Amino acid sequence: MAEAPLVEAAGLAVRYGVGADAVTAVAGVDLAIARGEVLGLVGESGCGKSTLGRAILRLVPVHGGRVRFDGTDITDLPERALRPLRPRMQIVFQDPFAALNPRKTVGQAVGDPLHAVLGLDRTMAEMKVAALLARVGLLPEHAERLPHEFSGGQRQRIGIARALALDPDFIVCDEPVSALDVSVRAQVLNLLADIRAERGLAMLFISHDLSVVEHIADRVAVMYLGRIVESGPARDLFAGPRHPYTRALVASVPRIGATDDTAVPIEGDPPSPRSVPAGCRFRSRCPRALPCCAAAEPPLAVDGAGRLLACFNP
Amino acid sequence: MNGGAALPRRFLRNRAAALGSLVLLAVVAVALLADVIAPRDPLRMVARPELWPFTDPRFPLGTDALGRDIMAIIVHGARTAIGIGVLAAAISTTVGIAVGAAAGYFRGWIDDLLMRFTEVLQTIPNLVIVLALVAVVGPDIVYVVLAIGLVSWTSVARMVRGEFLALREREFVLACRAAGMGDLRIMLREILPNALPPVIVYASFLVSAAILFEAALAFLGLSDPSIASWGRLIGEGRQTLRTSWFIAAIPGVAIVLTVLALNLVGDGLNDALNPRLRDQ
């Protein structure tokens, strides 16, 4: 990667709550996404994936570290100064029901940012809305309808059209297909892949479903309890996971002919983010934990295979 | 989430709400037509004092201790009650929405400041504040309306703040922030319409509370003396309660009916706007 990354996070931390009740959802994450690259972010529910995605877009307050977008440090930019950059980074949400204002028509949901933010006149905005709806597989007359008249898959298409409306360079896809029926999942996924290829979009593609990420991501980062534990090119990482957590995740995906004898399925729930184990945070569930794992937290470092890995005993 | 026609239908299927709206419509009609029904100044003495109801067809509800037509006072009092109720409720809803929206949307020190102020105001009984205000600025009807409106916004503010706190984290709002929309636009166009249903319900209770407030002030003789008022008539009727109890009772019935109707309408609106709560 000679070119500077489009999106870059360094030591990013996000806490919720104050004092003794504070929960660290994201505990120092480094990542970089190049132009046109799709980074898959996988991990269990509650590991901080969505929070990380929202922190990168400055939709939740950042408590530590830096976020850079296209060379600009946006970590401490006041909202007013950030506003001109916002259209270039958009988000598609998981829940297609919560993602749309129930009292606004589809045309308003997709078109309002066009004249409120970009200053397009009404006719221009309407034409663009029609084109966007067509692109995501909806009809121009759908612009007149309210969200409750649509299925989950259709609403997700509306959400995608809204994210595309401002011609972004980067989209955070926060579990965009997890809430959808299996039958429409592939359609929406293919739509995202096509649009990404057409527009050369960079994406942070968040999912707990490895098979979904494998389908669309160039690189994958694995997150556990607020930290990245392993990251690397998607194909390599899925073919040869190195971190015990990644191995267990990969082994849990049913696959014909695949065998990894060394992978032991992990059990139980992740510890509460309120009481993260000292040392390696995966230690309490790790089948390969050593005494040294309790002493210090393994840093995320390049291993022999050119992959980033945070483990003392891979 | 409701279709356009479903809401009124669900509202009117509720019998109490339908009855309430009927009574309320009647009161509003009387208030609007006050000058037609009783064209003369209601505070003018027109007949023998303490004339019993149904004894003289020209004064069907009798006369008070000063010989004024009770019917005319009731009819014009309806105008006072509805006018004060609606205006005061409009003031308190507007102030409450502004305070609650700012506190819930911006959070932080703005929230702390506004909510501490709201709480301080809530700890003082409203009637005491209104009495103090009216005692200072004088019993003009404009000040009475302002005073009532300016003490009753606290509950609206807390309600709206709660809605804004919840809605600002909703994903459709995040999407608008991510698009770079301005705060005012997000507050007014995205959040407020979704925060309004409970406020609309509460506004009907505010109207009835304001009517009771004015009645209380008038009863104590602190409302505008140049305007026909139900509360004032009750206060004046108190002196002849043993001989001519109807002077206090008739406006009393008018207040009870109007306030009850408003509360029934409010309950009906609540059920119609929040259908899921009804089954619990």
Side-chain angles (χ1 to χ4, degrees), chain B residues 95-177:
Chain B
V95 175
I97 286 176
V99 171
Y105 185 81
F106 293 111
R107 302 187 296 190
W109 65 269
I110 297 179
D111 185 24
D112 288 339
L113 191 76
L114 291 174
M115 282 303 114
R116 290 309 84 77
F117 178 63
T118 307
E119 281 157 15
V120 167
L121 213 56
Q122 275 188 315
T123 56
I124 312 170
N126 281 351
L127 190 60
V128 174
I129 307 178
V130 172
L131 285 178
L133 283 173
V134 173
V136 171
V137 294
D140 191 280
I141 191 72
V142 176
Y143 297 135
V144 171
V145 170
L146 276 175
I148 296 174
L150 289 179
V151 297
S152 354
W153 56 266
T154 48
S155 307
V156 179
R158 292 175 67 102
M159 185 187 287
V160 171
R161 170 179 177 268
E163 295 286 323
F164 267 66
L165 277 177
L167 285 164
R168 81 187 297 283
E169 306 296 335
R170 290 277 292 275
E171 291 171 346
F172 67 84
V173 177
L174 287 185
C176 293
R177 280 178 56 208

Side-chain angles (χ1 to χ4, degrees), chain A residues 129-184:
Chain A
V129 167
L132 284 162
L133 290 181
R135 180 60 197 90
V136 298
L138 295 169
L139 301 170
E141 55 263 37
H142 284 154
E144 307 298 320
R145 302 217 194 135
L146 287 168
H148 74 249
E149 298 175 56
F150 294 92
S151 67
Q154 285 175 313
R155 287 182 190 216
Q156 201 55 290
R157 289 169 189 272
I158 298 165
I160 294 169
R162 175 176 61 190
L164 292 176
L166 298 168
D167 292 319
D169 303 318
F170 171 61
I171 298 188
V172 172
C173 295
D174 187 358
E175 304 252 17
V177 297
S178 306
L180 302 182
D181 288 343
V182 179
S183 54
V184 296

Side-chain angles (χ1 to χ4, degrees), chain A residues 13 25 29 46 53 90 96 108 119 137 159 169 182 208 222 276 280:
Chain A
V29 164
Q90 291 297 298
Q108 288 171 324
D169 303 318
V182 179
H208 63 267
V222 181
V276 176
C280 175

Side-chain angles (χ1 to χ4, degrees), chain A:
Chain A
M1 250 186 289
E3 204 187 343
L6 179 67
V7 180
E8 202 180 355
L12 191 63
V14 179
R15 279 195 308 274
Y16 288 122
V18 283
D21 285 334
V23 167
T24 303
V26 177
V29 164
D30 303 321
L31 58 80
I33 303 170
R35 278 177 195 285
E37 184 187 39
V38 176
L39 175 67
L41 184 63
V42 298
E44 280 163 292
S45 306
C47 73
K49 306 184 298 279
S50 293
T51 303
L52 174 58
R54 288 171 191 203
I56 288 173
L57 297 184
R58 282 275 316 270
L59 291 176
V60 294
V62 173
H63 293 101
R66 318 300 308 168
V67 185
R68 263 181 290 279
F69 180 78
D70 201 11
T72 311
D73 188 331
I74 61 168
T75 327
D76 298 319
L77 275 190
E79 187 67 30
R80 194 170 289 275
L82 184 59
R83 223 163 260 163
L85 279 173
R86 284 215 179 271
R88 297 179 56 195
M89 31 185 186
Q90 291 297 298
I91 181 164
V92 174
F93 293 101
Q94 169 174 8
D95 180 356
F97 291 84
L100 297 168
N101 188 337
R103 290 166 203 279
K104 286 202 149 181
T105 65
V106 170
Q108 288 171 324
V110 180
D112 275 1
L114 288 174
H115 54 88
V117 178
L118 299 187
L120 262 58
D121 68 51
R122 206 156 290 276
T123 341
M124 288 289 286
E126 273 170 23
M127 281 166 60
K128 187 151 186 195
V129 167
L132 284 162
L133 290 181
R135 180 60 197 90
V136 298
L138 295 169
L139 301 170
E141 55 263 37
H142 284 154
E144 307 298 320
R145 302 217 194 135
L146 287 168
H148 74 249
E149 298 175 56
F150 294 92
S151 67
Q154 285 175 313
R155 287 182 190 216
Q156 201 55 290
R157 289 169 189 272
I158 298 165
I160 294 169
R162 175 176 61 190
L164 292 176
L166 298 168
D167 292 319
D169 303 318
F170 171 61
I171 298 188
V172 172
C173 295
D174 187 358
E175 304 252 17
V177 297
S178 306
L180 302 182
D181 288 343
V182 179
S183 54
V184 296
R185 226 176 250 191
Q187 297 169 11
V188 171
L189 214 51
N190 287 335
L191 174 66
L192 283 170
D194 292 347
I195 287 171
R196 177 254 172 145
E198 268 165 38
R199 301 188 169 217
L201 277 169
M203 285 184 182
L204 177 66
F205 194 97
I206 300 169
S207 182
H208 63 267
D209 186 340
L210 294 192
S211 54
V212 165
V213 170
E214 196 175 5
H215 184 82
I216 196 162
D218 304 313
R219 268 188 321 124
V220 175
V222 181
M223 200 165 173
Y224 185 78
L225 265 187
R227 284 188 84 104
I228 307 280
V229 294
E230 182 172 5
S231 80
R235 192 173 308 204
D236 295 0
L237 190 130
F238 285 116
R242 306 248 311 143
H243 194 284
Y245 180 61
T246 319
R247 283 202 214 181
L249 283 183
V250 171
S252 71
V253 178
R255 211 180 290 257
I256 297 167
T259 46
D260 181 355
D261 297 337
T262 57
V264 182
I266 50 171
E267 283 168 10
D269 294 320
S272 156
R274 272 175 225 278
S275 56
V276 176
C280 175
R281 45 190 68 215
F282 186 56
R283 183 167 61 86
S284 58
R285 296 164 84 195
C286 183
R288 300 170 62 83
L290 300 174
C292 69
C293 299
E297 183 149 26
L300 188 65
V302 182
D303 74 346
R307 192 178 298 169
L308 287 168
L309 185 66
C311 183
F312 290 131
N313 185 25

